[in-house]
Amino acid sequence: MTTRITQEIYDEEIRELMEGLGLSEEEAIQDAIKCFEMKGVDLNNIVTDSVLEDKYKEIITCLERLTCALNDKSYECVPETLQELRTELDKDIGYKVFAAKRKCYNILINLLKDCEKNHAIVKSTLETLTSLMSGYPDLLDDEGIALQTQLLERHCDTVTLQCLLRWIRECCIKHELNRQRIFETNVFEKLKKILMRTDVGALEVKDACSVIRALVLDDDIRHEYGKAHEHATVMAKGALDVITGLLKRFKKETKVIGDLMITLAALVVRNEFCQEVEDAGGLKFILDIMTEYPDSEKLNWQALKLLKALAGNDNVKSHIVTSGCAPLIVSVISRMKRSENVVAAGLSCISALSLRSTSNSGVFYDCGAAQVIVDAMKAYPNNINILKQASWAIRNMSVRNKSESKEFLMYGVEEVLRDAIHLHGLKLEDNAKAALRDLGLKVDLKERWTGKGISLNNEHY
């Protein structure tokens, strides 16, 4: 038989947990709910988060105002209220969760539907939805996806379109099901139309590309298998020519060309796509960017990401090196050695370009890559990613170039690799030991499986 308690008893229990055990409000609420449920207490008549109302009173006030505006069809104060609400939602995830429990998402969706012709309110509502769902994409439902589709199909003004694209992007991050459901609405064709518009602006291109990249993420740990590769394949088949064309069109817009390059890098997931980008002048464009913007850390990092992706095609990989990229890559790592992102991307490039290629490896030796790789490892002894990328680069440059690999030893690579193994253990052991082995150095390799010592029986039954 269930029992009931009063709101006062519930609130007092929360306060005792907070004061007696030092729990936060959220932790105290969770503990109290579990405790009461175990005792068979019915909490349906209790506002379980009432103790938090003081902390979140601004959210409550804003949502009450928006609800009144919807009921009264009076929207004069809505933009100001939405701004106040965004300020609260941007504080931390707790504010978003509380607002969601108070039907914030539903209120904002209704506001979008009711005020579709009021550009100021639509823009502000989209910005507020983005604040609410940034890091909290689970709220998206079929009604929200349908609204996204409807808005995309209209020719929105630039500012509203940007706000819409940013909301869609946030819905895709760390949420595989959202990505799949949004992709199934044929969103890519709508994004492609935006990119193909003769009057499309730099900022619209930037935001459309960010949605394309979000659709090919594989970052939701709740799902072992996603559809990133399938999404990338569909979009690459439909838009590689469009995106490579935009590279030339926006060559002087440094904020856009970087986004275009990393978008291409996310889409070239098949051999033929790499070739298509090169045939369209993509490789020459990368060379031009690295030459014309030698001091731009971000642009060089983005160029390196695209080079690494294009190296997935052996013909393109060879052309990348014969076109003169090797000395540029080594120079970028050396010049921007204080940037972990650039160093990691550069080492990854060397690894990819020297894989199964004696000639490419030889070019990197001639460019002084060996010293740059070892120096990078010495500069970042605690960065596992850089150490892994360096280990792979050493392996690929050494395994088919035994005589030249002695150059690594001249710069003290053995001590660096052994120190890395000692410092990071299992996280780096396999990669570093493989590099030592391919350098011809003594290394104790562990036999992962030795069997149980039972003799095999070849009889057939």
Side-chain angles (χ1 to χ4, degrees):
M1 181 178 175
T2 58
T3 57
R4 288 186 175 238
I5 58 171
T6 63
Q7 186 71 49
E8 289 73 20
I9 292 174
Y10 174 84
D11 290 347
E12 183 59 31
E13 177 68 17
I14 298 295
R15 291 189 185 92
E16 287 180 6
L17 287 169
M18 291 170 61
E19 294 170 8
L21 299 178
L23 300 180
S24 67
E25 297 104 323
E26 289 84 355
E27 291 170 336
I29 288 170
Q30 290 175 3
D31 280 14
I33 290 173
K34 287 179 183 177
C35 183
F36 283 126
E37 286 178 347
M38 287 174 65
K39 293 177 181 178
V41 176
D42 182 1
L43 296 176
N44 286 332
N45 64 318
I46 301 297
V47 180
T48 56
D49 52 8
S50 63
V51 72
L52 301 177
E53 289 194 359
D54 285 344
K55 180 178 179 180
Y56 300 126
K57 62 182 179 182
E58 290 297 329
I59 288 179
I60 295 170
T61 301
C62 289
L63 294 179
E64 286 175 348
R65 280 193 219 149
L66 293 175
T67 301
C68 288
L70 283 165
N71 291 335
D72 299 339
K73 306 299 179 186
S74 176
Y75 303 111
E76 292 82 3
C77 297
V78 164
E80 180 185 345
T81 302
L82 287 171
Q83 177 60 59
E84 293 174 14
L85 180 57
R86 281 198 301 280
T87 300
E88 295 300 306
L89 294 173
D90 288 339
K91 288 181 177 178
D92 66 46
I93 189 67
Y95 288 79
K96 301 175 197 282
V97 173
F98 181 86
K101 289 180 179 176
R102 294 298 179 109
K103 306 296 183 185
C104 180
Y105 174 81
N106 305 88
I107 292 169
L108 294 174
I109 292 295
N110 289 334
L111 201 55
L112 265 185
K113 291 161 69 176
D114 274 25
C115 302
E116 59 181 329
K117 294 183 180 178
N118 187 319
H119 292 305
I121 291 179
V122 168
K123 171 185 171 294
S124 191
T125 304
L126 288 170
E127 290 175 333
T128 309
L129 276 165
T130 304
S131 288
L132 174 66
M133 298 177 69
S134 176
Y136 191 36
D138 291 15
L139 297 173
L140 188 68
D141 58 10
D142 291 340
E143 188 176 17
I145 292 174
L147 262 176
Q148 291 175 348
T149 303
Q150 291 169 21
L151 288 169
L152 267 179
E153 286 172 346
R154 299 171 192 160
H155 186 78
C156 300
D157 63 279
T158 298
V159 176
T160 303
L161 179 59
Q162 283 182 261
C163 294
L164 173 61
L165 292 171
R166 289 168 188 173
W167 175 36
I168 294 172
R169 175 184 176 274
E170 288 302 327
C171 294
C172 293
I173 294 175
K174 294 188 177 179
H175 205 297
E176 178 62 26
L177 291 182
N178 280 358
R179 281 194 286 269
Q180 293 182 21
R181 289 157 64 206
I182 290 171
F183 195 80
E184 287 166 3
T185 66
N186 208 22
V187 67
F188 169 61
E189 288 302 321
K190 299 174 182 65
L191 295 171
K192 185 177 174 181
K193 284 181 180 178
I194 294 170
L195 296 176
M196 292 178 68
R197 275 185 10 223
T198 55
D199 63 339
V200 66
L203 295 177
E204 290 169 301
V205 170
K206 189 177 176 69
D207 286 314
C209 283
S210 73
V211 176
I212 289 173
R213 294 196 302 276
L215 289 167
V216 297
L217 288 173
D218 187 16
D219 59 356
D220 190 343
I221 60 173
R222 296 169 294 186
H223 294 268
E224 187 174 357
Y225 301 105
K227 290 191 174 181
H229 189 275
E230 290 91 330
H231 292 173
T233 299
V234 170
M235 292 192 287
K237 286 180 178 179
L240 281 185
D241 58 335
V242 175
I243 297 174
T244 50
L246 289 170
L247 283 174
K248 299 169 187 174
R249 179 175 167 184
F250 289 97
K251 189 172 183 179
K252 299 301 180 183
E253 300 273 0
T254 55
K255 291 182 180 179
V256 182
I257 54 176
D259 274 75
L260 289 168
M261 285 193 292
I262 56 173
T263 302
L264 285 172
L267 296 183
V268 289
V269 294
R270 283 174 32 178
N271 200 55
E272 65 268 28
F273 299 153
C274 300
Q275 190 65 58
E276 187 177 335
V277 171
E278 200 217 344
D279 291 344
L283 178 54
K284 183 181 183 304
F285 182 85
I286 296 170
L287 281 163
D288 290 344
I289 292 300
M290 295 179 75
T291 304
E292 292 176 23
Y293 301 98
D295 300 322
S296 173
E297 178 183 321
K298 189 172 183 181
L299 275 180
N300 278 277
W301 169 75
Q302 290 161 327
L304 290 168
K305 296 284 280 186
L306 180 51
L307 274 181
K308 194 282 180 82
L310 294 176
N313 178 301
D314 284 344
N315 291 330
V316 178
K317 177 167 69 176
S318 177
H319 196 195
I320 288 171
V321 175
T322 57
S323 296
C325 279
L328 283 175
I329 294 168
V330 174
S331 175
V332 168
I333 300 172
S334 181
R335 289 197 323 274
M336 300 185 180
K337 54 191 174 186
R338 294 185 180 178
S339 168
E340 293 186 28
N341 288 334
V342 170
V343 171
L347 294 175
S348 179
C349 243
I350 295 175
S351 173
L353 291 167
S354 58
L355 178 65
R356 298 188 306 273
S357 178
T358 304
S359 59
N360 285 2
S361 297
V363 174
F364 277 112
Y365 279 113
D366 294 340
C367 294
Q371 181 176 3
V372 168
I373 292 169
V374 177
D375 286 347
M377 297 180 79
K378 290 177 180 177
Y380 295 99
N382 297 312
N383 189 311
I384 292 178
N385 182 39
I386 286 179
L387 295 174
K388 278 185 179 180
Q389 299 295 344
S391 297
W392 293 338
I394 292 167
R395 286 192 62 189
N396 293 345
M397 286 178 62
S398 301
V399 70
R400 293 167 184 247
N401 299 62
K402 293 298 183 183
S403 60
E404 293 165 298
S405 68
K406 294 176 183 177
E407 192 173 334
F408 280 109
L409 304 180
M410 291 168 49
Y411 299 114
V413 74
E414 180 176 8
E415 183 182 357
V416 174
L417 285 167
R418 296 197 190 280
D419 286 346
I421 294 170
H422 179 73
L423 181 61
H424 298 290
L426 292 174
K427 293 179 181 178
L428 194 67
E429 187 176 45
D430 287 348
N431 298 295
K433 283 188 174 182
L436 288 168
R437 178 199 64 206
D438 290 337
L439 285 166
L441 299 169
K442 184 178 179 181
V443 59
D444 295 323
L445 297 172
K446 293 180 181 178
E447 196 169 357
R448 297 298 184 189
W449 185 79
T450 58
K452 298 180 179 179
I454 301 172
S455 61
L456 295 175
N457 189 334
N458 292 323
E459 293 182 13
H460 295 282
Y461 296 95

